Amino acid sequence: MELLLAVAALFLLLCIAYSFSIDLIATRGASITGDGPFCLQTGGDFDLTSQYESRSFESFFDQPDGLWYQSVPKPEDGQLLSPHNPGLSLLLVPGASAFASLLD
């Protein structure tokens, strides 16, 4: 019985400690890197021409040279299609937006 109470007390203490750590940010000011910016940029529009023209990636990618191209425009119609899985980006965009709102 004493062991059970000790385990329950430890669990409660860890839950309280965790609740105070929720607002901590491990890497303040770090930008999204790797394939993240490309997945986020895809959103629901698979032709990335307008995203590059409006530089919409600047809201989540802060490198001075901007976001480079991972694909080339199609010769038939000039569309710049994302090489990334659209399903992944549809999941990442709402999640990244929700996470970013927590940081503000």
Side-chain angles (χ1 to χ4, degrees):
M1 184 68 172
E2 289 178 17
L3 180 61
L4 183 61
L5 287 175
V7 169
L10 179 61
F11 179 76
L12 181 62
L13 180 67
L14 291 174
C15 286
I16 292 169
Y18 174 74
S19 69
F20 283 106
S21 70
I22 289 174
D23 196 33
L24 297 177
I25 300 173
T27 55
R28 187 169 299 280
S31 63
I32 298 172
T33 59
D35 273 353
F38 299 100
C39 292
L40 288 172
Q41 186 174 3
T42 302
D45 182 7
F46 306 121
D47 181 5
L48 301 179
T49 305
S50 62
Q51 286 91 325
Y52 276 102
E53 287 174 357
S54 67
R55 300 184 61 84
S56 63
F57 55 82
E58 289 178 345
S59 65
F60 52 82
F61 187 75
D62 60 358
Q63 300 301 313
D65 294 334
L67 191 61
W68 59 94
Y69 291 87
Q70 281 195 323
S71 57
V72 295
K74 289 174 37 181
E76 307 86 53
D77 56 8
Q79 285 187 323
L80 183 64
L81 299 179
S82 172
H84 294 278
N85 183 344
L88 179 61
S89 63
L90 294 175
L91 293 174
L92 282 177
V93 170
S97 298
F99 182 71
S101 70
L102 292 174
L103 298 179
D104 289 335

